[in-house]
Every structure is written in structure tokens, then in C-alpha cells.
Coordinates of all heavy atoms in Angstrom, one line a residue:
M118 N 112.3 102.3 124.5 CA 111.3 101.5 123.7 C 111.3 102.1 122.3 O 111.2 103.3 122.1 CB 109.9 101.6 124.2 CG 109.0 100.4 123.8 SD 107.4 100.5 124.5 CE 107.7 100.3 126.3
P119 N 111.6 101.3 121.3 CA 111.8 101.9 119.9 C 110.4 102.3 119.3 O 109.4 101.9 119.7 CB 112.3 100.7 119.1 CG 111.9 99.4 119.9 CD 111.8 99.8 121.3
I120 N 110.5 103.3 118.4 CA 109.4 103.8 117.7 C 109.3 103.1 116.3 O 110.3 103.0 115.6 CB 109.4 105.3 117.5 CG1 109.4 106.0 118.8 CG2 108.2 105.7 116.6 CD1 109.6 107.5 118.8
Y121 N 108.1 102.6 116.0 CA 107.9 101.9 114.7 C 107.0 102.7 113.9 O 106.1 103.3 114.5 CB 107.4 100.4 114.9 CG 108.4 99.6 115.6 CD1 108.3 99.3 116.9 CD2 109.5 99.1 115.0 CE1 109.2 98.5 117.6 CE2 110.5 98.3 115.6 CZ 110.2 98.0 116.9 OH 111.1 97.2 117.6
E122 N 107.1 102.7 112.6 CA 106.1 103.3 111.7 C 105.5 102.3 110.9 O 106.1 101.3 110.3 CB 106.9 104.4 110.8 CG 106.0 105.2 110.0 CD 106.7 106.3 109.3 OE1 108.0 106.3 109.1 OE2 106.0 107.2 108.8
Y123 N 104.1 102.5 110.8 CA 103.3 101.6 110.0 C 102.6 102.3 109.0 O 102.1 103.4 109.2 CB 102.3 100.8 111.0 CG 103.0 99.9 112.0 CD1 103.5 100.5 113.1 CD2 103.1 98.5 111.8 CE1 104.2 99.7 114.1 CE2 103.8 97.8 112.8 CZ 104.3 98.4 113.9 OH 104.9 97.6 114.9
V124 N 102.3 101.6 107.9 CA 101.5 102.3 106.9 C 100.2 101.3 106.6 O 100.4 100.2 106.5 CB 102.3 102.5 105.6 CG1 102.8 101.2 104.9 CG2 101.4 103.3 104.5
C125 N 99.1 101.9 106.5 CA 97.9 101.3 106.2 C 97.8 100.9 104.7 O 97.9 101.8 103.9 CB 96.7 102.0 106.7 SG 95.1 101.2 106.2
L126 N 97.7 99.7 104.3 CA 97.6 99.3 102.9 C 96.3 99.6 102.3 O 96.1 99.5 101.1 CB 98.0 97.8 102.8 CG 99.3 97.4 103.3 CD1 99.6 95.9 103.1 CD2 100.5 98.3 102.7
D127 N 95.3 99.9 103.2 CA 94.0 100.2 102.6 C 93.8 101.6 102.4 O 93.2 102.1 101.3 CB 92.9 99.7 103.6 CG 92.8 98.1 103.6 OD1 93.3 97.5 102.6 OD2 92.4 97.6 104.6
C128 N 94.2 102.5 103.3 CA 93.9 103.9 103.1 C 95.2 104.8 103.0 O 95.1 105.9 102.8 CB 93.0 104.5 104.2 SG 93.9 104.6 105.9
G129 N 96.4 104.1 103.3 CA 97.6 104.9 103.1 C 98.0 105.6 104.3 O 99.0 106.4 104.3
E130 N 97.3 105.6 105.4 CA 97.6 106.3 106.7 C 98.8 105.8 107.2 O 99.0 104.6 107.4 CB 96.4 106.2 107.6 CG 96.6 106.8 108.9 CD 96.3 108.3 108.8 OE1 96.0 108.8 107.8 OE2 96.4 109.0 109.9
K131 N 99.7 106.8 107.6 CA 101.0 106.4 108.4 C 100.8 106.6 109.8 O 100.3 107.6 110.3 CB 102.2 107.1 107.8 CG 102.6 106.6 106.4 CD 103.8 107.2 105.9 CE 104.2 106.7 104.5 NZ 105.5 107.4 104.0
T132 N 101.3 105.7 110.6 CA 101.1 105.7 112.0 C 102.4 105.5 112.7 O 103.2 104.5 112.4 CB 100.1 104.7 112.6 OG1 98.9 104.9 111.8 CG2 99.8 105.0 114.1
E133 N 102.9 106.3 113.6 CA 104.1 106.1 114.5 C 103.6 105.6 115.8 O 102.7 106.1 116.4 CB 105.0 107.3 114.6 CG 105.6 107.6 113.3 CD 106.5 108.9 113.5 OE1 106.6 109.3 114.6 OE2 107.0 109.3 112.4
V134 N 104.2 104.5 116.3 CA 103.7 103.9 117.6 C 105.0 103.4 118.3 O 105.9 102.9 117.7 CB 102.7 102.8 117.4 CG1 103.3 101.7 116.6 CG2 102.2 102.3 118.7
M135 N 105.0 103.7 119.6 CA 106.1 103.2 120.4 C 105.7 101.9 121.1 O 104.6 101.8 121.7 CB 106.4 104.2 121.5 CG 107.6 103.9 122.3 SD 108.0 105.3 123.5 CE 108.3 106.6 122.5
R136 N 106.4 100.8 120.9 CA 105.9 99.5 121.3 C 107.1 98.7 121.5 O 108.2 98.9 121.0 CB 104.9 98.9 120.4 CG 105.5 98.5 119.1 CD 104.4 98.2 118.0 NE 103.2 97.6 118.4 CZ 102.4 97.0 117.7 NH1 102.7 96.9 116.4 NH2 101.3 96.4 118.1
P137 N 107.1 97.6 122.5 CA 108.2 96.8 122.7 C 108.6 96.0 121.4 O 107.8 95.8 120.5 CB 107.6 95.8 123.7 CG 106.4 96.4 124.3 CD 105.8 97.2 123.2
I138 N 109.9 95.7 121.5 CA 110.5 95.0 120.3 C 109.7 93.7 120.0 O 109.4 93.4 118.9 CB 112.0 94.7 120.5 CG1 112.7 96.0 120.6 CG2 112.5 93.9 119.4 CD1 114.2 95.8 120.9
K139 N 109.2 93.0 121.0 CA 108.6 91.8 120.8 C 107.2 92.0 120.1 O 106.7 91.0 119.5 CB 108.4 91.0 122.1 CG 107.5 91.8 123.2 CD 107.4 91.0 124.5 CE 106.6 91.7 125.5 NZ 105.2 92.0 125.0
D140 N 106.7 93.2 120.1 CA 105.4 93.4 119.5 C 105.6 94.1 118.2 O 104.6 94.5 117.6 CB 104.5 94.3 120.4 CG 104.1 93.6 121.6 OD1 104.1 92.4 121.6 OD2 103.7 94.3 122.6
A141 N 106.8 94.3 117.7 CA 107.1 95.0 116.5 C 106.3 94.5 115.3 O 105.9 95.2 114.4 CB 108.5 95.1 116.2
D142 N 106.2 93.1 115.2 CA 105.6 92.5 114.1 C 104.1 92.1 114.3 O 103.4 91.5 113.5 CB 106.3 91.2 113.7 CG 107.7 91.5 113.1 OD1 107.8 92.6 112.4 OD2 108.6 90.8 113.2
A143 N 103.6 92.6 115.5 CA 102.2 92.3 115.8 C 101.3 93.3 114.9 O 101.8 94.4 114.7 CB 101.9 92.6 117.3
P144 N 100.2 92.7 114.5 CA 99.4 93.6 113.7 C 98.9 94.8 114.4 O 98.6 94.8 115.6 CB 98.1 92.7 113.4 CG 98.6 91.3 113.6 CD 99.6 91.4 114.7
L145 N 98.8 95.9 113.7 CA 98.5 97.2 114.2 C 97.2 97.7 113.5 O 97.2 97.9 112.3 CB 99.6 98.2 114.1 CG 99.2 99.6 114.7 CD1 99.4 99.6 116.2 CD2 100.2 100.7 114.1
A146 N 96.2 98.0 114.3 CA 94.9 98.5 113.6 C 95.2 99.9 113.1 O 95.6 100.7 113.9 CB 93.7 98.4 114.5
C147 N 94.8 100.2 111.9 CA 94.8 101.5 111.5 C 93.9 102.5 112.3 O 92.7 102.2 112.4 CB 94.4 101.6 110.0 SG 94.2 103.3 109.3
P148 N 94.5 103.6 112.7 CA 93.6 104.5 113.5 C 92.6 105.2 112.8 O 91.6 105.8 113.2 CB 94.7 105.5 114.1 CG 95.8 105.5 113.2 CD 95.9 104.1 112.6
K149 N 92.8 105.2 111.4 CA 91.8 106.0 110.5 C 90.6 105.1 110.0 O 89.5 105.5 110.1 CB 92.6 106.5 109.3 CG 91.8 107.5 108.5 CD 92.8 108.1 107.4 CE 92.1 109.2 106.6 NZ 93.0 109.7 105.6
C150 N 91.0 103.9 109.6 CA 89.9 103.1 109.1 C 89.8 101.7 109.7 O 89.0 100.9 109.4 CB 90.2 102.7 107.5 SG 91.6 101.7 107.2
Q151 N 90.6 101.5 110.8 CA 90.5 100.4 111.7 C 90.9 99.1 111.0 O 90.8 97.9 111.5 CB 89.1 100.2 112.3 CG 88.5 101.4 112.8 CD 89.4 102.0 114.0 OE1 89.9 101.3 114.7 NE2 89.5 103.4 113.8
S152 N 91.5 99.2 109.8 CA 92.0 98.0 109.2 C 93.3 97.5 109.8 O 94.1 98.2 110.2 CB 92.3 98.4 107.7 OG 93.0 97.3 107.1
E153 N 93.4 96.1 109.8 CA 94.7 95.7 110.4 C 95.6 95.2 109.3 O 96.6 94.5 109.4 CB 94.3 94.5 111.2 CG 93.7 94.8 112.5 CD 93.8 93.7 113.5 OE1 94.2 92.6 113.3 OE2 93.4 93.9 114.7
H154 N 95.3 95.7 108.0 CA 96.1 95.5 106.9 C 97.2 96.6 106.8 O 97.2 97.4 105.9 CB 95.1 95.6 105.7 CG 95.6 94.9 104.5 ND1 95.1 94.9 103.2 CD2 96.7 94.0 104.3 CE1 95.8 94.1 102.4 NE2 96.8 93.6 103.0
T155 N 98.1 96.5 107.8 CA 99.1 97.5 107.8 C 100.5 96.8 107.7 O 100.7 95.7 108.0 CB 99.1 98.2 109.2 OG1 99.0 97.2 110.2 CG2 97.9 99.0 109.3
S156 N 101.4 97.6 107.3 CA 102.7 97.1 107.0 C 103.8 97.9 107.8 O 103.7 99.1 107.8 CB 103.1 97.1 105.5 OG 104.4 96.6 105.4
R157 N 104.7 97.2 108.5 CA 105.7 98.0 109.2 C 106.8 98.6 108.3 O 107.4 97.9 107.5 CB 106.3 97.1 110.4 CG 107.3 97.8 111.2 CD 107.6 97.0 112.5 NE 108.1 95.7 112.3 CZ 109.5 95.4 112.1 NH1 110.3 96.3 112.3 NH2 109.8 94.2 111.9
L158 N 107.1 99.9 108.6 CA 108.1 100.5 107.8 C 109.4 100.4 108.7 O 109.5 99.9 109.8 CB 107.9 101.9 107.6 CG 106.5 102.1 106.7 CD1 106.2 103.6 106.5 CD2 106.6 101.4 105.3
L159 N 110.5 101.0 108.1 CA 111.7 101.0 108.8 C 111.6 101.7 110.1 O 111.2 102.7 110.2 CB 112.7 101.7 107.9 CG 114.2 101.6 108.3 CD1 114.7 100.2 108.2 CD2 115.1 102.5 107.4
S160 N 112.2 101.0 111.1 CA 112.2 101.7 112.4 C 113.0 102.9 112.5 O 114.1 103.0 112.0 CB 112.8 100.6 113.5 OG 113.2 101.3 114.6
L161 N 112.6 103.9 113.2 CA 113.2 105.2 113.2 C 114.5 105.0 114.1 O 115.5 105.6 113.8 CB 112.3 106.3 113.8 CG 111.0 106.5 113.0 CD1 110.3 107.6 113.8 CD2 111.3 107.0 111.7
F162 N 114.4 104.2 115.2 CA 115.5 104.1 116.1 C 116.6 103.2 115.5 O 117.7 103.5 115.8 CB 115.0 103.4 117.3 CG 114.6 104.5 118.4 CD1 113.9 105.6 117.9 CD2 114.6 104.2 119.7 CE1 113.5 106.6 118.9 CE2 114.2 105.1 120.6 CZ 113.6 106.3 120.2
F163 N 116.3 102.3 114.7 CA 117.2 101.4 114.1 C 117.5 101.6 112.6 O 117.8 100.7 111.9 CB 116.8 100.0 114.4 CG 116.7 99.6 115.9 CD1 115.4 99.3 116.4 CD2 117.7 99.7 116.7 CE1 115.3 99.0 117.7 CE2 117.5 99.5 118.1 CZ 116.3 99.1 118.6
A164 N 117.2 102.8 112.2 CA 117.3 103.1 110.8 C 118.7 102.9 110.2 O 118.8 102.7 109.1 CB 116.9 104.5 110.5
T165 N 119.7 103.0 111.1 CA 121.1 102.9 110.6 C 121.6 101.5 110.7 O 122.8 101.2 110.3 CB 122.0 103.9 111.3 OG1 121.9 103.6 112.7 CG2 121.6 105.3 111.0
S166 N 120.9 100.6 111.5 CA 121.4 99.3 111.8 C 121.1 98.3 110.5 O 120.0 97.7 110.5 CB 121.0 98.7 113.0 OG 119.5 98.6 113.0
G167 N 122.0 98.2 109.6 CA 121.8 97.4 108.5 C 121.2 98.1 107.3 O 121.6 97.7 106.2
G168 N 120.3 99.1 107.5 CA 119.9 99.9 106.4 C 118.9 99.0 105.5 O 118.5 99.5 104.4
R169 N 118.4 97.9 106.0 CA 117.5 97.1 105.2 C 116.1 97.3 105.6 O 115.8 97.1 106.8 CB 118.0 95.7 105.2 CG 117.1 94.7 104.4 CD 117.7 93.3 104.4 NE 116.8 92.3 103.9 CZ 115.9 91.7 104.6 NH1 115.7 92.0 105.9 NH2 115.1 90.8 104.1
V170 N 115.2 97.6 104.7 CA 113.9 97.8 105.0 C 113.1 96.5 105.1 O 113.2 95.6 104.2 CB 113.1 98.6 104.0 CG1 111.7 98.8 104.2 CG2 113.7 100.0 103.9
V171 N 112.6 96.2 106.3 CA 111.9 95.0 106.4 C 110.4 95.2 106.2 O 109.7 96.0 106.7 CB 112.0 94.5 107.9 CG1 111.3 93.2 108.1 CG2 113.4 94.3 108.2
A172 N 109.9 94.5 105.2 CA 108.5 94.7 104.7 C 107.6 93.6 105.3 O 108.1 92.5 105.7 CB 108.5 94.6 103.2
G173 N 106.4 93.9 105.3 CA 105.4 92.8 105.7 C 105.0 93.0 107.1 O 103.8 93.1 107.5
G174 N 105.9 92.9 108.0 CA 105.5 93.1 109.5 C 104.6 91.8 109.8 O 104.9 90.7 109.3
G175 N 103.7 92.1 110.7 CA 102.9 90.9 111.1 C 101.6 90.8 110.3 O 100.8 89.9 110.6
S176 N 101.4 91.7 109.3 CA 100.2 91.6 108.6 C 100.4 90.7 107.4 O 101.5 90.6 106.9 CB 99.8 93.1 108.0 OG 99.7 93.9 109.2
A177 N 99.3 90.1 107.0 CA 99.3 89.2 105.8 C 99.6 90.0 104.6 O 99.0 91.0 104.4 CB 98.1 88.4 105.7
C178 N 100.4 89.5 103.8 CA 100.6 90.2 102.5 C 99.4 90.1 101.7 O 98.9 89.0 101.5 CB 101.8 89.6 101.8 SG 102.2 90.2 100.1
S179 N 99.0 91.2 101.1 CA 97.8 91.1 100.2 C 98.0 90.4 98.9 O 97.0 90.0 98.3 CB 97.4 92.6 100.0 OG 98.4 93.2 99.2
T180 N 99.3 90.2 98.6 CA 99.5 89.5 97.3 C 99.7 88.1 97.4 O 99.2 87.2 96.6 CB 100.7 90.1 96.6 OG1 100.7 91.6 96.6 CG2 100.9 89.7 95.2
C181 N 100.4 87.6 98.4 CA 100.7 86.2 98.5 C 100.2 85.7 99.8 O 100.5 84.4 100.2 CB 102.1 86.0 98.3 SG 103.2 86.6 99.6
S182 N 99.7 86.4 100.8 CA 99.1 85.9 102.1 C 100.2 85.5 103.0 O 99.9 84.8 104.0 CB 98.1 84.8 101.8 OG 96.9 85.3 101.2
S183 N 101.5 85.6 102.7 CA 102.6 85.4 103.6 C 102.6 86.3 104.7 O 102.2 87.4 104.6 CB 104.0 85.4 102.8 OG 105.0 85.4 103.7
S184 N 103.0 85.8 105.9 CA 102.9 86.7 107.1 C 104.3 87.5 107.2 O 104.3 88.5 107.9 CB 102.9 85.8 108.3 OG 104.0 84.9 108.5
S185 N 105.3 87.1 106.4 CA 106.6 88.0 106.3 C 107.0 88.1 104.9 O 108.0 87.4 104.6 CB 107.5 87.4 107.2 OG 107.9 86.1 106.9
C186 N 106.2 88.7 104.1 CA 106.5 88.7 102.7 C 107.5 89.9 102.4 O 107.3 91.1 102.7 CB 105.3 88.9 101.9 SG 105.6 89.0 100.2
S187 N 108.6 89.5 101.8 CA 109.6 90.6 101.4 C 109.8 90.7 99.9 O 110.5 91.5 99.4 CB 111.0 90.3 102.0 OG 111.5 89.1 101.6
T188 N 109.1 89.8 99.2 CA 109.2 89.7 97.7 C 108.2 90.6 97.0 O 108.5 91.1 96.0 CB 109.2 88.4 97.2 OG1 108.0 87.7 97.6 CG2 110.4 87.6 97.8
C189 N 107.0 90.7 97.6 CA 106.0 91.4 96.8 C 105.6 92.7 97.7 O 104.5 92.9 98.0 CB 104.8 90.7 96.4 SG 104.2 89.6 97.8
N190 N 106.6 93.4 98.2 CA 106.2 94.6 99.0 C 105.6 95.6 98.2 O 106.0 95.9 97.1 CB 107.6 95.2 99.5 CG 107.4 96.4 100.3 OD1 106.4 96.6 101.0 ND2 108.4 97.3 100.3
L191 N 104.5 96.1 98.8 CA 103.6 97.1 98.0 C 104.2 98.4 98.1 O 104.3 99.0 99.1 CB 102.2 97.1 98.5 CG 101.5 95.8 98.4 CD1 100.1 95.8 99.0 CD2 101.4 95.5 96.9
Ligands
ZN476 ZN1 93.7 102.6 107.1

């Protein structure tokens, strides 16, 4: 099971979590402030596959409200 890293857009807390690939884009509540305003960072396991950082994750973009925003990555 791959490890994903998420960053909280509200408090900046970074969290690593092991979860199924199908849940990779599911919202993750911040363990520090409980906000679901989190963004998935580059997967540790798949860091070399493509080398492209996928921004947005399953959380709504704070700038444009898109669910998979790659243009206004914070
Ligand atoms: Zn937070």
C-alpha cells in the first residue's frame, strides 16, 4: 500500500498516511486542526514515476473551488 503525504492548507501541518490507491484523492482531515482543507503531495512510493507533482488531491482548491486544481497550486 503506497504512502501519501498531505499538507494542511490551513495550518501547514504535513501528514504521511498509508492508504489504498483508490483513496489517494479522498479528503484527509488534518490531525492538528481537523481541517479537511488538505492537499496531497507527491507520493513517496511513486516519486520517480513521471516526476510530476499532482496538486489538489481530493480537496477543493481554495482559489478556484476545483476538485483537481493544478493551475493554482498553493
Ligand atoms: Zn491543519
Side-chain angles (χ1 to χ4, degrees):
M118 205 179 294
I120 297 173
Y121 297 100
E122 187 172 16
Y123 298 78
V124 61
C125 176
L126 300 180
D127 288 338
C128 73
E130 179 80 356
K131 287 185 179 179
T132 309
E133 290 179 5
V134 62
M135 191 178 292
R136 63 195 330 199
I138 293 174
K139 65 182 177 61
D140 291 338
D142 288 327
L145 180 80
C147 172
K149 191 173 182 181
C150 71
Q151 311 307 316
S152 169
E153 290 195 355
H154 203 187
T155 51
S156 180
R157 181 163 58 91
L158 302 177
L159 188 64
S160 163
L161 299 179
F162 273 31
F163 301 117
T165 57
S166 61
R169 180 173 166 273
V170 177
V171 178
S176 302
C178 174
S179 62
T180 312
C181 68
S182 296
S183 167
S184 61
S185 60
C186 179
S187 60
T188 55
C189 47
N190 180 27
L191 296 176

